[in-house]
Amino acid sequence: MRLSLEQIAQFDRDGYLFFSGLFSPEETRTLTAAVPELYARREAYNVREKGSDAVRTNFAAHLYSEPFAKLARHPRMVEPVQDLFGEKLYMHQFKINGKMAFEGDVWQWHQDYGTWKNDDLMPTERAMNVAIFLDDVNAFNGPLMFIPGSHKKGVVDAKHDLTTTSYPLWTVDNDLIRQLVERAGGKNGGIVSPQGPAGSMILFHSCLVHASASNLSPWNRVSVYLSLCALSNHIRRFKRPEYIAHRDFSAIDCLPDDCLLKHYPVELPWKNGMPGSALVTSSEPIADTRKAA
Ligand code: SIN
Ligand code: MN
């Protein structure tokens, strides 16, 4: 899938693009059907909500689940980012966020690149999030909220929040959020929240400031996030386990557009379990592979 010049200009201005209903219900069902079994697994890659058994985030399913391995190579998700960066991409992070009915907790205001920079030593912001809704998203089930244009600020100040939710994040404080929202139009568009049917896709800049409220509705809000990083911009530190921040910097090769509905062979390297090495972490930077090569 290719972006028009108008879409590229809109992305540059707002920091995100929304594609309502981009994947058909039939395509989306192939993914949704696989989620309960993945969430039921008692594995480190399933992070549960604080004080609840509900899964907040499942990591790295593209390495052990066939439908998600195909999604990770889907041209509708990968090609627009490749075009924007003018470079091949690798998968930095792959998540299936639950935000389950009644239990899904908040995501505080943050920029993803803040965490990738501080924790993973990712050199620049040349990485992108692409989300696909596996459930309908409405005003009540904890939709993502964006501050349009906030990506233009680059990396803003953030604090390492280790307590609010079950997942550590570099979060932005309320005063700065107030200023950014005001600058973006205050009550007139200073916060936006793309909502739509299952199968909708959002592409958003790694410096776009975003958050989501808890889900007190009776409707799940499961969404998949691909975090795609330009090859030259690979992380330089393995401080977080490999199921959270990937260490395989090989380029993603796309499958055909009908890949969710037809059989295509995909590698599933963690099908029989995650290797022990995926849990080994270090606070030291890795050797510079470009010099070593
Ligand atoms: C995220 O910001 O990484 C997740 C937010 C959400 O799923 O609501
Ligand atoms: Mn985020």
Side-chain angles (χ1 to χ4, degrees), residues 2 52 60 77 83 97 145 172 177 188 194 204 227 240:
R2 302 256 113 89
S52 151
M77 302 197 82
D83 282 355
N97 280 4
M145 299 185 286
V172 181
I177 294 301
N188 299 310
F204 63 100
S227 301
R240 301 193 293 168

Side-chain angles (χ1 to χ4, degrees), residues 95 97 99 107 110 112 142-144 204 210-212 221 223 225:
K95 321 191 277 260
N97 280 4
K99 186 78 76 167
W107 289 83
H110 68 281
D112 283 6
L144 269 178
F204 63 100
H210 60 285
S212 62
R221 198 229 62 184
S223 302
Y225 295 82

Side-chain angles (χ1 to χ4, degrees), residues 16-208:
Y16 74 97
L17 290 171
F18 181 52
F19 303 86
S20 185
L22 184 71
F23 289 84
S24 70
E26 201 187 357
E27 290 177 309
T28 311
R29 267 196 298 275
T30 66
L31 302 164
T32 315
V35 173
E37 187 274 322
L38 295 175
Y39 277 7
R41 296 183 187 187
R42 297 281 148 190
E43 297 282 353
Y45 53 64
N46 275 331
V47 174
R48 291 171 197 275
E49 299 284 8
K50 221 173 169 179
S52 151
D53 210 36
V55 171
R56 176 174 181 77
T57 300
N58 162 281
F59 286 101
H62 66 304
L63 298 180
Y64 48 83
S65 162
E66 191 174 323
F68 289 101
K70 292 196 287 185
L71 185 72
R73 296 161 175 81
H74 203 293
R76 273 175 253 164
M77 302 197 82
V78 176
E79 278 176 2
V81 182
Q82 212 165 263
D83 282 355
L84 282 167
F85 288 156
E87 194 182 337
K88 295 285 267 183
L89 309 167
Y90 82 94
M91 188 68 68
H92 170 57
Q93 192 171 72
F94 189 100
K95 321 191 277 260
I96 312 172
N97 280 4
K99 186 78 76 167
M100 303 308 276
F102 301 112
E103 313 227 44
D105 205 352
V106 301
W107 289 83
Q108 304 287 7
W109 287 106
H110 68 281
Q111 297 175 306
D112 283 6
Y113 180 59
T115 299
W116 301 340
K117 177 177 193 275
N118 288 314
D119 287 347
D120 307 327
L121 298 185
M122 186 185 281
T124 75
E125 54 192 63
R126 282 170 63 78
M128 183 91 71
N129 276 317
V130 193
I132 167 177
F133 301 170
L134 298 194
D135 290 301
D136 297 346
V137 173
N138 56 42
F140 311 105
N141 60 355
L144 269 178
M145 299 185 286
F146 295 143
I147 304 177
S150 54
H151 63 302
K152 298 267 188 196
K153 282 283 194 189
V155 184
V156 300
D157 285 344
K159 287 192 309 276
H160 205 195
D161 180 356
L162 299 163
T163 56
T164 315
T165 65
S166 63
Y167 185 71
L169 208 59
W170 289 82
T171 60
V172 181
D173 77 26
N174 293 351
D175 280 341
L176 187 49
I177 294 301
R178 208 173 273 119
Q179 286 169 36
L180 291 171
V181 170
E182 213 41 56
R183 241 183 35 119
K187 288 182 179 163
N188 299 310
I191 300 180
V192 296
S193 164
Q195 295 165 26
S200 300
M201 182 175 101
I202 312 176
L203 198 151
F204 63 100
H205 194 283
S206 61
C207 285
L208 192 70

Side-chain angles (χ1 to χ4, degrees), residues 119 121 236-240 280-286:
D119 287 347
L121 298 185
R236 303 297 201 259
R237 180 163 67 181
F238 300 157
K239 191 181 168 193
R240 301 193 293 168
V280 177
T281 58
S282 165
S283 49
E284 292 304 312
I286 57 170

Side-chain angles (χ1 to χ4, degrees), residues 214-283:
S214 62
N215 182 5
L216 290 178
S217 84
W219 306 299
N220 293 340
R221 198 229 62 184
V222 178
S223 302
V224 186
Y225 295 82
L226 277 60
S227 301
L228 300 166
C229 183
L231 290 190
S232 61
N233 194 41
H234 70 78
I235 61 170
R236 303 297 201 259
R237 180 163 67 181
F238 300 157
K239 191 181 168 193
R240 301 193 293 168
E242 191 177 0
Y243 61 87
I244 297 181
H246 294 298
R247 301 168 188 177
D248 175 358
F249 306 140
S250 41
I252 298 170
D253 287 321
C254 288
L255 291 170
D257 192 75
D258 61 1
C259 62
L260 291 177
L261 300 177
K262 289 199 181 147
H263 175 71
Y264 291 97
V266 279
E267 273 181 44
L268 297 173
W270 292 5
K271 191 173 188 332
N272 298 318
M274 191 165 59
S277 58
L279 297 171
V280 177
T281 58
S282 165
S283 49

